[in-house]
Structures are given as C-alpha cells and as structure tokens.
Amino acid sequence: MDPFTDPLAPPEPASPEYVLHLFITGATPNSTRAVRNIKDICEQYLKGRYELLIVDIYQQPDLAQREDLIGVPTLIKRSPGLVRRLVGDLSDWPRVLKALGITPSGDEATPDEATPYE
Amino acid sequence: MSAHSPAAAHALPQLPKAPTGIEGLDEITEGGLPLGRPTLICGSAGCGKTLMGIEFLVRGALEFNEPGVLMAFEETAPELAANVTSLGFDLTDLQERKLLRLDHVHVDRSEIEETGEYDLEGLFIRLGYAIDSIGAKRVVLDTIEALFAGFPNQAVLRSEIRRLFHWLKEKGVTAIITAERGDGSLTRQGLEEYVSDCVILLDNRVIDQITTRRLRVVKYRGSTHGTNEYPYLITANGISVLPVTSLRLDHAVSSRVVSTGIPALDDMFGLRGYYEGSSVLVTGTAGTAKTTLAASFADQICRDGGRCIFFAFEESPAQLLRNMASVSINLQAHLDAGRLLIEAARPTLNGLEQHLVTLHRLVKEFRPTAVVIDPITNLITVGNLNEVRSMLTRLIDFLKVNGITALFTALVSGRGLQQEMTDEGVSSLVDTWISVRDLEGVGERNRGLSILKSRGMAHSNQVREFLVTSHGIELLDVVLGPTGIVTGASRLAQQMQERAETLAVQQEAERRDREVERRRRVLEANIANLRTEFESVEEELRQISANEQSRRQALLSGQQRIAAANPPAPGAPTAESGQ
C-alpha cells in the first residue's frame, strides 16, 4: 500500500503494530464521529503502537474504487493479522475492539463497558 | 435530462429516449429506454439481465457514442469481459478507448463489521468518479441487490438505494438496474418501488422441454410501448428481441409471376405461376409428394437465376438431394453454383423463436428470392398451435415485406384434427393454397392435385391426377368418366374403353363409306345400262327417221319425174291431183 502522508497520523516510529486507515467523507456527522471514536480508541488502547491514516475520499475519489469502499465511514485494519473492514461511525466500541483484536485487559479502563461517544 | 426538457416543452411532449441498439427492443419501447432515467430489468437466473445491460453499454458506446459505466456486484471485470467475448464484445478495448469503465464492487458479509451509523457514500463517490472520468451517459448497476447480502441494515440500505436512483436521475445518466426476480413480486427486494419510470421483465420458461425467453415491458411511464410478451434470444450477436412483426399490411407487391416448376401446374394458374413475393401453401396427407413439389419449385427458381433457401425439417440435405435426383430434380448443381442453400435441422433442435431467428439471419445473409419450408407442421412439435401460428404469421410477414416468394408444405391427416391447423392457422395468411391428396379408389391409391385458392389470379377448378415419374412430376390430362373424373386404373380402363369405342366408330364409318361406294357403283352401272339402252333406242329411232326421209325423197323425185313427162294442163294443179 502506498503510504499516505496525513498530518493527522501520529509521529510514531517505523513499523507500528497497528496500521489503521479510516476513510471518511468530508465533515459529515458520521465521519466526524468516526474520527473522534477511532482517535479515542487508539489513545486509550493502542497508545504508541498504532499508525492511523485518515483519508477524505471526497478529495481522492479514485481511492473509493481502489479500496472497494461502499459504506462510509470505513476503517480498514491492515495489520496485525487479517485485513478487516469496519463500516460505520465506530460508536459500537466493543465490536470495534473485537474486530481490531484488542482485548480490553484490566490495566486499561473498565474492561466491560467502554464509554463510546454517542 | 435538463438538456432535453426545453425541446420537450415545445413540440408535443415526447419523452426523450436513449436507443439501446438491441435488436427489436427499441421497436417495442418505441425508441429506447427513458433518457436520463433509471430502468429496472428484472428476471430470474439465466435470463440474460447482465448481458442486456452490457449490450446496452457496448452498443451505446459503439453506435451512439455514449460512454458507459458498468458497476458489477457479482462478477469481476475480467469475468465479465471473458463472458461477453463470445458475443464479440471487447470490453478491454472499450475500456482502453475510454468508452467504458468497469467497476467491480466486492460485497462480502464476512469482511464487513458494522460498528455504527454509515451511509453508502462510498458507492456514490465511486460511481460519480467513474461517470465523470469518461463522461459517461449510461450506467448499468448489475444486481445492486447484492448489497442486501452484505449490509444487514435494511433501513439504511433502502434509503440509500432510493437516494442512489434519485442521484442517478440528477446526474442525467440513462441507467439500467438489474434485479433478481422475487416470489410474487418483480424483484426480491422490492426495487420496483424505487425505479418507477420503466420496468422490463425478462422471463425464462421451459415448456415441453424447450426453453423460450420472453420479455415484457411492465411499465413505461410517459410513453406507449408494446405490451405483449415478446420472445427474445441470446444469439451470437447479442440479444435479439423478436420480432417485430410489422403491424400494418403495407408491403409492396409485385405483379411478376414465377413458375411453379411444373409446366402442367403452371397451366392451371391463369398467369402461369405464383406471384413473386407471395406465399404458397402445399398441404397434403403423407406421401403425396409435397416435398417433390417443393423441390420442383426450388429447382425452377434456381434455374431462372434466383436464389433459394430450402429449410428441411424432415430430411438431411444428402437425403433430400438423393431423393430428388431420383425424380430428375438435380439440386446438387444449384448447390454447387451457390444458388441453393439447404438448411436442415430437427424442429426440436431449438425453440420456435430460434428457428425464426435462424431464418431471419439466413435470409439476411443469403438474400434469397424464394424460401421453401418443408414442412411447417413439424414445428408444432416444438410449440403449441398458437405459438406456431404466431411464428408463422411473423415469418410470412417477414418474407412478404422482403418480397421473397415462400412455399410451405404442411402435413394434414385427412379429416383429422390437424386440418384445423391449416384451415385456421395459416391458410388465411397464404395467397395460394394447393392441396395434394390421395384419391383412394378400388385397390389403389392415386395422387390428386387441386388449387384451393390463388389470390388475384384465375385458376383451374379441376382435381388433376399426377404421377411422380423419373422425369419429375407429371400432371395427367383430365379424364371424365360416367361418375366424374376418373383416376388410376379406372382412368386406364376408361381410356381403353374409349379407345375401343373410337375404333368401333371408325370401323363403322369405314363400313359406311364402303357401302356408299358400292351403291354408287351399282347406280353407275345402272346408269350405264340405261344409257346404252337409250342409245340403242335412239339409234333405232334415228334409223326409222332416216328411212322415212329417204323414202320421202324418193317419192318426191319420182313425182318430179312424172311431172316432167306429163306437162300439166294450164292452171290445173296437177301435182295434188296426182297424189
């Protein structure tokens, strides 16, 4: 995959554990919610272990076909493990964490009920 | 759309249409699909929905210079390209020429995790980008219903699909949306609710083990359209909707006449043959030489420099050639010269429509002046009576419009049920109807031929007996017996009897002639006798008269001598007194 340079990506060292690409459509409510959610999740569970790329497909419409996007927002987890696609504004934190393969272990915040943004 | 509305506002409000270029479909829809609006094509599996969509795009690109976008939800671009190569559509080339864009949308439930609210803006962006990148005027969404399998949230999906169709309209692209046929509804997901401008239903039916595909325009807002179910085919050149019969009877006619191929049969027609471009039906029971009659006609056409297609539904070409050669009809020569084309196929090989399409195609390629179909009744094994009739109507119509003389043979089984087939079925469509039948007499069977009708031409009303000889068909002269026309052995008997009678009459005449001669001779002899008798009488009488004369002479000279010796007294009449 071509490395997109996005100012929002955190300045992490090479080969972070989690590579996440979030595709959004401008500043629609769903998109802004998704951005906020993924940022919170990353900060909370993956601090220092992730690379997040946020792409506005309004700006790069050719990516929509290349990435086979249908529903927006879409979060694509490229690594670790299998590529997974998460469609939606990422408000359902348990599902997001499960899909990302993050087990909310005890050292982090409450394992059972994470507080999603509404 | 907006570009067309001013024009539409002025003249009669004609709905602008985008021609599909698909054979026959534009006729049924009277010009094509609604321009700038979505059209729903629904049908069950194997109907050719995708193909119709692709053909719409390909023809649009090639014939109407309208680039198109194909968004495929089920097949990938390479698969699609491979699938339609057999139809001569080169999708890769079109893509390179920027006339077509393929976008395969991969929907897989297992890969998608719903994590909250979303919309299908991704699809919109893809489609919008594809449309704008090549300036597409046409869009095909091949089975958008696949989305329902990938996205469980129906409410979102439905509102998004509704929005998509609305968006397509705003974009002004002519779109085809294909959908799978549902139980009791047109589409499985009720898409017909969203696409309300034009709905076309494709159907794939198997009746008696023969598949026929049919197309129906369920609705077409703002336009009239053909309402029937039209058979269509997937041919080597794409979809062909059939056919399109011209609904009016306005074909040009020719007053030229073509020979039947049998001189004596020509004589039975007032103008010595069939009208060019007319249709001829030869009906008869089994074994009444219908094929031979048909072959004679084909032979004649070819010998007159025409071209003929012979559709044989019963015999293989080789068999036909051999059999006809046995009656001195040499079809092989015409075949070699390229004037004759024998197309032999079992009627059950394909559906009626396929036969019709084959015929259309061959007629277009071969450009014949005459077509022979032997026999049409075999087609009934393929469809029911109504279907066969409608197919034949279309066929006859097609041939007439093209000015092709057509000869059909039909098998009838005496007074059986199929008589109706010809009575009601085709006979009213054909111009000339020749009936051949068995004239079964005592201990033998003979063939009789009569003309039941011949439009626009005087024709003989006689039933002529004919023989199939090694020189072809020979019509025999009419022999009238005491009980009407006689045939076969009774014909021979009648002829022999007549010959005997003639002989007797002749002998009688000769005898009478001799009698006259004899009489004449007797009379002449009598006359000679009488004349001889008369001559002898005349001779006798003349003798007597001569004697008398000489006697008087002698007497007179004697008196003169006496008078000279005795001179008379003066004044005395001596001579008298001396007598």
Side-chain angles (χ1 to χ4, degrees):
Chain A
M1 270 302 138
D2 36 339
F4 309 109
T5 45
D6 195 296
L8 290 172
E12 282 299 308
S15 66
E17 191 183 346
Y18 280 86
V19 180
L20 305 173
H21 291 180
L22 177 66
F23 295 90
I24 56 164
T25 48
T28 54
N30 282 343
S31 297
T32 45
R33 261 203 307 277
V35 170
R36 244 182 310 165
N37 275 323
I38 193 64
K39 279 192 170 169
D40 286 349
I41 289 172
C42 287
E43 280 307 305
Q44 203 169 334
Y45 299 100
L46 306 170
K47 202 166 176 64
R49 294 192 286 148
Y50 71 99
E51 180 191 282
L52 176 65
L53 187 67
I54 298 176
V55 183
D56 181 2
I57 51 172
Y58 279 148
Q59 307 299 319
Q60 291 171 280
D62 54 321
L63 280 182
Q65 183 179 349
R66 208 185 313 156
E67 297 295 336
D68 195 23
L69 298 179
I70 307 166
V72 174
T74 292
L75 177 73
I76 299 179
K77 180 203 72 168
R78 302 223 176 267
S79 65
L82 292 170
V83 175
R84 301 252 17 198
R85 297 165 153 264
L86 287 73
V87 178
D89 62 7
L90 309 172
S91 310
D92 190 344
W93 279 36
R95 284 190 91 157
V96 175
L97 293 178
K98 198 175 152 217
L100 291 178
I102 302 169
T103 38
S105 47
D107 61 321
E108 300 291 346
T110 45
D112 45 0
E113 286 298 314
T115 48
Y117 284 90
E118 285 306 314
Chain B
M1 265 242 301
S2 53
H4 297 273
S5 46
H10 281 264
L12 280 170
Q14 267 293 356
L15 191 78
K17 292 184 180 179
T20 60
I22 295 170
E23 208 177 306
L25 184 60
D26 290 342
E27 279 85 346
I28 294 169
T29 54
E30 294 175 12
L33 303 179
L35 185 75
R37 297 187 190 191
T39 294
L40 181 67
I41 294 183
C42 42
S44 47
C47 275
K49 301 183 291 290
T50 306
L51 181 62
M52 188 169 270
I54 292 179
E55 190 169 353
F56 171 70
L57 292 181
V58 171
R59 302 234 179 259
L62 295 177
E63 292 171 23
F64 308 107
N65 200 24
E66 292 192 353
V69 172
L70 173 62
M71 195 169 241
F73 291 83
E74 291 182 329
E75 289 167 288
T76 64
E79 277 170 1
L80 282 172
N83 291 351
V84 297
T85 312
S86 59
L87 302 172
F89 299 157
D90 189 350
L91 298 190
T92 322
D93 174 59
L94 285 173
Q95 279 172 285
E96 278 166 13
R97 287 159 60 190
K98 295 215 174 295
L99 288 170
L100 181 71
R101 240 190 116 111
L102 289 181
D103 182 2
H104 170 61
V105 179
H106 177 74
V107 185
D108 190 344
R109 181 79 187 85
S110 63
E111 287 180 8
I112 295 170
E113 195 77 43
E114 280 191 17
T115 63
E117 287 178 31
Y118 60 92
D119 53 34
L120 299 186
E121 191 64 24
L123 206 62
F124 286 66
I125 289 169
R126 282 166 85 159
L127 198 49
Y129 180 70
I131 291 171
D132 294 340
S133 65
I134 57 167
K137 298 273 189 294
R138 301 177 174 212
V139 168
V140 171
L141 303 177
D142 187 27
T143 330
I144 200 168
E145 284 170 318
L147 288 176
F148 285 88
F151 293 88
N153 192 337
Q154 293 249 337
V156 171
L157 211 48
R158 289 189 178 276
S159 77
E160 284 298 285
I161 287 176
R162 187 187 293 270
R163 188 163 73 93
L164 179 67
F165 294 161
H166 191 71
W167 178 81
L168 284 171
K169 262 193 191 183
E170 275 182 352
K171 274 262 179 195
V173 291
T174 311
I176 285 184
I177 294 121
T178 65
E180 196 74 19
R181 182 91 193 263
D183 287 335
S185 65
L186 287 176
T187 59
R188 205 169 279 170
Q189 305 293 347
L191 289 182
E192 61 269 26
E193 289 173 39
Y194 312 126
V195 185
S196 46
D197 291 302
C198 181
V199 178
I200 294 173
L201 181 67
L202 305 182
D203 188 20
N204 193 0
R205 251 178 268 167
V206 180
I207 301 167
D208 290 341
Q209 300 159 25
I210 287 160
T211 306
T212 316
R213 297 187 169 100
R214 285 155 212 271
L215 173 149
R216 181 162 69 96
V217 179
V218 179
K219 83 185 219 182
Y220 197 146
R221 193 172 278 179
S223 167
T224 52
H225 57 84
T227 51
N228 300 341
E229 277 195 319
Y230 299 92
Y232 71 95
L233 295 156
I234 299 174
T235 68
N237 305 316
I239 287 178
S240 176
V241 185
L242 274 179
V244 184
T245 358
S246 63
L247 301 168
R248 287 160 302 194
L249 285 166
D250 55 359
H251 45 265
V253 293
S254 165
S255 47
R256 279 192 290 175
V257 170
V258 293
S259 167
T260 64
I262 301 159
L265 182 56
D266 285 348
D267 290 339
M268 291 178 76
F269 289 98
L271 295 175
R272 302 191 48 81
Y274 313 126
Y275 279 120
E276 197 177 75
S278 69
S279 44
V280 182
L281 177 68
V282 178
T283 60
T285 46
T288 45
K290 296 182 294 296
T291 304
T292 314
L293 276 171
S296 301
F297 172 68
D299 178 52
Q300 185 66 41
I301 288 287
C302 294
R303 267 192 282 153
D304 290 346
R307 296 160 75 79
C308 182
I309 303 182
F310 198 109
F311 287 88
F313 286 133
E314 282 182 335
E315 295 172 285
S316 73
Q319 192 186 350
L320 187 72
L321 289 173
R322 182 200 67 193
N323 293 355
M324 290 308 120
S326 74
V327 290
S328 291
I329 299 174
N330 186 3
L331 297 180
Q332 183 68 50
H334 304 311
L335 214 55
D336 295 341
R339 294 184 192 286
L340 180 69
L341 181 75
I342 300 178
E343 174 78 11
R346 285 260 163 233
T348 44
L349 177 69
N350 20 46
L352 283 176
E353 272 61 38
Q354 184 66 50
H355 284 300
L356 200 51
V357 161
T358 311
L359 202 134
H360 274 236
R361 181 173 53 79
L362 286 177
V363 165
K364 271 184 191 147
E365 285 170 10
F366 195 72
R367 305 228 142 269
T369 48
V371 165
V372 173
I373 298 181
D374 177 46
I376 51 171
T377 25
N378 267 23
L379 293 172
I380 214 159
T381 53
V382 185
N384 64 35
L385 206 83
N386 274 335
E387 288 170 330
V388 174
R389 186 181 309 164
S390 84
M391 178 226 169
L392 289 173
T393 313
R394 293 196 298 248
L395 176 61
I396 291 174
D397 201 66
F398 170 72
L399 295 174
K400 273 199 174 168
V401 168
N402 286 282
I404 295 166
T405 318
L407 189 142
F408 311 105
T409 67
L411 180 73
V412 293
S413 55
R415 280 152 282 286
L417 296 169
Q418 290 192 356
Q419 189 79 38
E420 288 169 31
M421 155 83 202
T422 40
D423 281 348
E424 297 176 2
V426 201
S427 58
S428 65
L429 300 167
V430 299
D431 299 312
T432 304
W433 185 2
I434 295 173
S435 168
V436 283
R437 63 187 135 142
D438 277 331
L439 304 168
E440 199 172 335
V442 184
E444 63 179 16
R445 232 171 227 287
N446 300 294
R447 299 185 177 103
L449 178 150
S450 58
I451 301 172
L452 296 190
K453 76 168 179 183
S454 181
R455 282 184 184 145
M457 199 186 282
H459 52 275
S460 162
N461 64 348
Q462 285 173 329
V463 178
R464 297 283 296 270
E465 186 186 358
F466 70 97
L467 296 175
V468 181
T469 68
S470 56
H471 312 291
I473 288 181
E474 279 178 14
L475 265 67
L476 302 179
D477 291 327
V478 180
V479 173
L480 281 169
T483 54
I485 291 175
V486 292
T487 58
S490 38
R491 162 199 285 276
L492 289 178
Q494 180 78 18
Q495 279 173 340
M496 259 150 48
Q497 196 182 329
E498 274 174 15
R499 212 170 297 137
E501 274 171 15
T502 318
L503 200 64
V505 166
Q506 202 180 331
Q507 283 168 350
E508 175 67 22
E510 279 170 11
R511 200 183 55 78
R512 225 177 285 129
D513 280 353
R514 282 199 300 276
E515 177 67 27
V516 166
E517 179 66 17
R518 204 161 39 236
R519 281 269 175 85
R520 195 172 58 81
R521 256 185 274 146
V522 169
L523 278 174
E524 272 174 6
N526 280 349
I527 289 168
N529 272 350
L530 285 173
R531 180 166 292 147
T532 321
E533 204 177 311
F534 169 73
E535 275 170 7
S536 61
V537 171
E538 190 186 32
E539 181 70 34
E540 202 174 317
L541 290 175
R542 199 172 290 138
Q543 193 67 48
I544 291 168
S545 158
N547 287 351
E548 180 73 15
Q549 188 85 27
S550 57
R551 202 171 58 233
R552 191 178 294 172
Q553 198 74 43
L555 194 62
L556 195 62
S557 63
Q559 279 174 346
Q560 279 174 343
R561 253 180 287 137
I562 293 167
N566 307 310
T574 52
E576 275 81 9
S577 58
Q579 281 176 356

